[in-house]
Amino acid sequence: MRRIGLRGRGPRRSIGTGSGMIRLSALFVAICMVLIAGALGIALYLVFGIGVAEAAVVALTALTGLAVYNVLAIRTRYQGELSSQIADLSRGTADLARQVGEQGRRLAALEKSADHSAQRALAATQPIHAELGELGLLVNQLAQTVASQDASIRAITALHPLEGEGASFELSDDMAATPAETPFIPVPL
């Protein structure tokens, strides 16, 4: 039995959940962004002689720009992973649909084969069934004929008892000419 699934794709990570390493790296990136923005503000204040308020606004703007860039970079990376996961899921669904279709075709072929086998068996046994029915009728007729013959013989022996072992009797002309009580009806085959 084949397993249905995505093969050869390696370990998967879901978006939004992660290990402590991912959170630690996000914290490290955030600290670095704050340090870069702060260094820019301090450099503007000390080197270029800009006022403290203006240097703080430029540092805050730089921090906002770095944060937006970081969010867009993470989002782009996750979109790539998400699109590859969706593509994998789509391929898996298509593979599953193909396998279900294949199983359906196999089942239809199996049902057709079973129906055909049942029809062949029925066709093979119908003549035997008919012949057994005819044989049953013939056996019943034979039994009735034997019973009537036995009754006739008993009636004859009652009228003319045998007087010895080697004795025989002769039928009268009217008994020899009369058919059995049950007529024999031949059954066409």
Side-chain angles (χ1 to χ4, degrees), residues 170-182:
E170 294 182 21
L171 294 176
S172 64
D173 292 334
D174 61 356
M175 290 175 92
T178 59
E181 293 176 16
T182 307

Side-chain angles (χ1 to χ4, degrees), residues 73-112:
I74 290 173
R75 185 173 180 193
T76 304
R77 182 181 64 207
Y78 282 148
Q79 275 183 343
E81 286 183 16
L82 184 63
S83 65
S84 70
Q85 287 178 351
I86 289 174
D88 289 346
L89 184 61
S90 176
R91 281 191 293 274
T93 304
D95 187 39
L96 181 62
R98 181 189 57 78
Q99 288 177 1
V100 167
E102 183 179 325
Q103 292 299 328
R105 284 189 295 277
R106 286 181 182 175
L107 181 62
L110 187 61
E111 287 175 350
K112 185 178 179 181

Side-chain angles (χ1 to χ4, degrees), residues 102-188:
E102 183 179 325
Q103 292 299 328
R105 284 189 295 277
R106 286 181 182 175
L107 181 62
L110 187 61
E111 287 175 350
K112 185 178 179 181
S113 174
D115 289 343
H116 183 65
S117 296
Q119 288 174 355
R120 281 192 333 208
L122 184 62
T125 58
Q126 275 182 335
I128 296 171
H129 180 67
E131 286 186 26
L132 286 176
E134 290 176 12
L135 285 175
L137 289 174
L138 289 174
V139 167
N140 284 339
Q141 288 178 354
L142 181 63
Q144 289 174 356
T145 303
V146 168
S148 68
Q149 295 282 335
D150 187 43
S152 297
I153 291 172
R154 288 184 191 268
I156 291 171
T157 55
L159 292 177
H160 305 291
L162 297 176
E163 292 160 5
E165 271 193 47
S168 65
F169 61 91
E170 294 182 21
L171 294 176
S172 64
D173 292 334
D174 61 356
M175 290 175 92
T178 59
E181 293 176 16
T182 307
F184 176 77
I185 302 172
V187 178

Side-chain angles (χ1 to χ4, degrees), residues 32-75:
C32 287
M33 286 191 300
V34 168
L35 287 175
I36 290 171
L40 179 67
I42 290 173
L44 286 176
Y45 174 73
L46 293 177
V47 174
F48 294 107
I50 298 178
V52 174
E54 294 163 345
V57 168
V58 170
L60 188 60
T61 304
L63 179 62
T64 306
L66 288 172
V68 168
Y69 175 76
N70 187 31
V71 167
L72 290 177
I74 290 173
R75 185 173 180 193

